[in-house]
Amino acid sequence: MRIITANVNGIRSAYKKGFLDYIAQSQADIICVQELKAQEADLSPEMQAPHGMHGVWHCAQKRGYSGVALYSKRQPDAVQIGLGQPEFDSEGRYVRADFGNLSVISLYLPSGTSAEERQAYKYQFLDAFYPILAELIATGRDIVVCGDWNIAHQNIDIKNWKGNQKNSGFLPEERAWIGRVIADLGWVDTWRTLYPDVAGYTWWSNRGQAYAKDVGWRIDYQMTTPALAATAQAAHVYKETKFSDHAPLVIDYDYSV
């Protein structure tokens, strides 16, 4: 089973850059997408169901902002749109699809870079999402939470870690939170487990020559329950085509849906 997660920073823009072709050749069973920046009415038939895949999405109320989607070869047995918390669901940040004992979640965790009030909102989301993660892992289901978590966990996950310790996305409180998700709740950072010493950057600033110089951050994850993590075989960050300021994270699991 191949699962891909990709922040496209505007699905219409990504399609113009070849994202639909990438989906076709990717051999993915499930694709999680974040930052659609589109309303449902803006989604073409190909964006709703690329290459005949089954699609579910959660768009933000605000135009041109946020939004997540999930595409799968197999039709889901059940779907959950949103967290059931209006203050977060208005921004289109969560969609879940179930396939037998497997649950796949496309998540777009808030960024706090634009203003202090957005960082406060991010902390509110973290506080609300932690018990949800606890409840999910307690179900005993095989679960993967794919998406843009907007936090680089460890020094290896960010090129310029010394210079970013006071910046959103690498603040001590954020790093400690994701550390508790792993150490206390038992979620597994699949990339870091497979490749303890490989940076695996998935996001680069558009400023300067960050992408060309590989001055990146690893903020896109596939967080899995332990049993599912144990089936992970290989992973890579796809950089052959640049669809946005993020690159798709691809992980192969010895698992059937």
Side-chain angles (χ1 to χ4, degrees):
M1 174 181 68
R2 171 166 288 184
I3 299 180
I4 297 175
T5 186
N7 179 316
V8 294
N9 195 10
I11 192 167
R12 289 168 290 184
S13 172
Y15 266 52
K16 291 177 182 177
K17 297 173 183 175
F19 192 66
L20 181 65
D21 293 334
Y22 170 66
I23 292 174
Q25 61 92 11
S26 69
Q27 298 183 318
D29 296 285
I30 299 168
I31 301 174
C32 296
V33 174
Q34 302 85 42
E35 211 168 352
L36 298 176
K37 290 188 173 180
Q39 305 302 111
E40 186 167 352
D42 300 325
L43 300 176
S44 68
E46 288 180 330
M47 293 174 188
Q48 295 182 14
H51 304 292
M53 299 182 84
H54 299 275
V56 292
W57 49 86
H58 186 200
C59 298
Q61 292 178 7
K62 181 180 177 181
R63 293 195 64 83
Y65 182 73
S66 191
V68 293
L70 188 153
Y71 305 114
S72 59
K73 287 183 177 178
R74 172 181 159 181
Q75 184 172 354
D77 301 322
V79 169
Q80 177 187 340
I81 306 295
L83 293 165
Q85 302 186 31
E87 65 271 33
F88 305 124
D89 290 346
S90 64
E91 296 196 353
R93 296 191 173 275
Y94 184 97
V95 64
R96 166 181 166 177
D98 293 347
F99 311 87
N101 195 52
L102 174 70
S103 295
V104 182
I105 293 164
S106 184
L107 169 75
Y108 182 34
L109 201 147
S111 169
T113 57
S114 60
E116 288 185 13
E117 55 265 30
R118 291 305 297 176
Q119 184 64 35
Y121 179 84
K122 183 176 185 178
Y123 284 139
Q124 291 169 12
F125 189 97
L126 298 184
D127 289 343
F129 195 50
Y130 189 86
I132 292 172
L133 288 169
E135 292 171 5
L136 284 169
I137 203 165
T139 64
R141 295 179 60 81
D142 297 322
I143 307 173
V144 54
V145 184
C146 297
D148 179 358
W149 290 61
N150 265 314
I151 301 171
H153 180 207
Q154 299 171 316
N155 293 353
I156 190 176
D157 299 318
I158 177 172
K159 181 71 171 183
N160 183 19
W161 65 268
K162 289 184 178 179
N164 280 289
Q165 295 178 78
K166 295 183 179 180
N167 292 331
S168 179
F170 200 61
L171 295 172
E173 299 88 348
E174 298 170 329
R175 300 171 63 195
W177 180 88
I178 208 165
R180 291 194 300 272
V181 167
I182 295 168
D184 296 346
L185 295 185
W187 288 90
V188 179
D189 177 355
T190 310
W191 173 275
R192 186 55 64 225
T193 301
L194 285 171
Y195 308 116
D197 303 317
V198 180
Y201 304 140
T202 61
W203 177 83
W204 300 262
S205 171
N206 286 321
R207 299 174 181 174
Q209 297 293 315
Y211 188 78
K213 296 179 180 178
D214 201 26
V215 181
W217 298 48
R218 189 176 73 94
I219 56 177
D220 300 88
Y221 297 84
Q222 293 193 28
M223 288 284 191
T224 57
T225 48
L228 181 59
T231 73
Q233 296 179 306
H236 68 273
V237 177
Y238 179 85
K239 295 179 66 178
E240 293 179 29
T241 306
K242 193 172 188 291
F243 305 113
S244 75
D245 50 352
H246 293 250
L249 169 62
V250 184
I251 300 186
D252 293 325
Y253 300 87
D254 184 11
Y255 191 101
S256 298
V257 291

